[in-house]
Amino acid sequence: MFDLKDCPMCEIENAKIYQEAPHDTFIVDCPRCRKFTLQDTVFDDDFHSLTDIDRAKLSGWSYKQNKMGLKADITKSNFNEIKKIQIPSIPERIRSFLNLAVKKLPVYRQKANYWDPEFQAICYSTHQDDMTMIVKYLSDRGLITSGSGVFYIMPDGYIQNEEWNLISQDSKQGFVAMWFDDKMDDVWENGFKPAIEEAGYEAFKVDMKHHNNKIDDEIIASIKRSKFLVADFTGQRGGVYFEAGYAMGKGLPVFWTCRKSDMGDLHFDIRQFNCIGWESAEDLANRLETRIEAVMGKG
């Protein structure tokens, strides 16, 4: 076992890096990326040629995995896929910064350092100019007051953050995150769709919409336009975990469902939620409608 100083992913100092038997995987605990594992073959072959943007993507991905309670494992099979993800737009990064700041500073005139590694991670920062730009934008609009690397939130900042988080308040859309497979067609048509519609809302899944945007961009945009999200973990699709975590981060109600035969495979962090275990589309429709009406009221 040994310790190194800098994170191999974001290169921040004060990261702990060590190996455990069978000595083929690095375990990294980083102030910015949080905890992740890294196969030694990836570290040896690929990490030395990363660009700043690659590092921001990998760091942001690892941070989000940790925030959702999922393991962040960097492997040969997913390394290049993570590098292909799109960095959030500048408006999204600004909103993420302010939203995190409000969570960290719930009391007026509490102060924080905007070089905090968590702010860098959630903003996919590639260099100091990224954070300077975000802080200047918020300062110029009177949402925060900053100086010498620290800031506090102005009253208008708290109000603006709440408005950004309530964009979907008047929406009637219920977003369904689920496995896109032919064997789930009946469950959609006779389970999710009638449950949401009978509760008085509009059922939506992203493959219903024809669009020219990247699928991940459309997913994020559609979740933002929704009033709540239904996350079905049948088939254990990684995208469903991501979409549920993103909705929770935006403050949207999430309804958890899974085919009973798949319940044993749920990630342990999901098991703490009151998940509807269904056996048929009709069973799902009845129970989900009741749950939505109990939480959201009749639409």
Side-chain angles (χ1 to χ4, degrees), residues 37 61-62 82 116 129 143 179 194 226 240 245 279:
T37 63
W61 177 85
S62 177
I82 297 171
D116 181 328
D129 287 349
L143 303 180
W179 183 18
S226 299
V240 175
E279 294 182 331

Side-chain angles (χ1 to χ4, degrees), residues 9-287:
M9 191 143 72
C10 71
E11 299 185 315
I12 200 169
E13 294 183 354
N14 302 318
K16 294 293 184 181
I17 308 171
Y18 52 95
Q19 284 179 301
E20 292 182 343
H23 301 295
D24 61 353
T25 301
F26 289 92
I27 301 174
V28 184
D29 195 352
C30 170
R32 171 169 170 164
C33 309
R34 297 300 197 257
K35 191 171 184 178
F36 65 93
T37 63
L38 176 64
Q39 290 181 351
D40 57 358
T41 53
V42 182
F43 180 76
D44 292 338
D45 299 340
D46 301 298
F47 263 65
H48 302 296
S49 61
L50 289 175
T51 66
D52 289 342
I53 293 176
D54 290 336
R55 294 184 185 280
K57 291 178 179 180
L58 287 158
S59 179
W61 177 85
S62 177
Y63 172 82
K64 285 188 175 182
Q65 290 290 106
N66 277 264
K67 294 295 284 185
M68 290 188 289
L70 304 176
K71 290 183 66 178
D73 295 328
I74 310 295
T75 66
K76 272 289 188 183
S77 61
N78 69 9
F79 178 74
N80 287 320
E81 291 303 312
I82 297 171
K83 290 199 300 178
K84 292 177 183 177
I85 66 175
Q86 186 173 13
I87 287 182
S89 66
I90 288 176
E92 179 65 18
R93 292 154 73 187
I94 290 170
R95 289 192 291 268
S96 295
F97 179 97
L98 186 59
N99 193 54
L100 177 59
V102 168
K103 291 178 181 177
K104 284 179 169 287
L105 308 172
V107 178
Y108 178 55
R109 291 190 75 94
Q110 279 185 297
K111 294 181 179 179
N113 190 320
Y114 55 78
W115 301 116
D116 181 328
E118 192 169 6
F119 285 118
Q120 295 180 47
I122 203 168
C123 294
Y124 289 78
S125 173
T126 58
H127 46 69
Q128 287 189 351
D129 287 349
D130 283 345
M131 302 308 297
T132 302
M133 172 271 295
I134 291 171
V135 170
K136 184 177 187 305
Y137 176 90
L138 294 170
S139 297
D140 288 349
R141 282 149 186 81
L143 303 180
I144 66 173
T145 294
S146 65
S148 302
V150 300
F151 74 96
Y152 62 87
I153 306 171
M154 298 299 289
D156 282 350
Y158 292 101
I159 293 170
Q160 181 65 78
N161 184 68
E162 185 167 333
E163 289 177 355
W164 280 340
N165 285 334
L166 293 178
I167 289 174
S168 62
Q169 186 176 29
D170 295 328
S171 172
K172 295 296 183 183
Q173 179 170 288
F175 184 102
V176 179
M178 61 181 292
W179 183 18
F180 291 152
D181 188 87
D182 291 345
K183 65 182 69 175
M184 295 293 289
D185 288 349
D186 176 66
V187 183
W188 164 257
E189 288 295 337
N190 297 301
F192 295 112
K193 190 170 183 289
I196 293 170
E197 291 177 349
E198 288 299 317
Y201 301 93
E202 299 170 3
F204 177 88
K205 60 187 176 91
V206 76
D207 68 340
M208 294 167 54
K209 184 172 182 178
H210 298 290
H211 56 83
N212 295 320
N213 301 325
K214 281 190 172 183
I215 188 70
D216 51 351
D217 295 337
E218 187 62 27
I219 287 171
I220 295 299
S222 297
I223 292 174
K224 288 179 181 178
R225 291 192 291 266
S226 299
K227 194 174 187 69
F228 60 85
L229 181 139
V230 177
D232 185 77
F233 295 96
T234 305
Q236 298 299 305
R237 314 311 294 175
V240 175
Y241 283 93
F242 171 81
E243 289 152 32
Y246 182 81
M248 290 180 69
K250 298 298 289 183
L252 297 182
V254 177
F255 298 92
W256 314 85
T257 70
C258 185
R259 191 191 301 272
K260 276 192 176 180
S261 58
D262 284 28
M263 291 280 281
D265 296 324
L266 284 175
H267 190 275
F268 70 91
D269 282 319
I270 301 299
R271 295 175 190 175
Q272 65 180 299
F273 299 108
N274 188 5
C275 187
I276 296 174
W278 52 269
E279 294 182 331
S280 67
E282 292 73 18
D283 174 40
L284 170 64
N286 292 331
R287 298 175 63 191

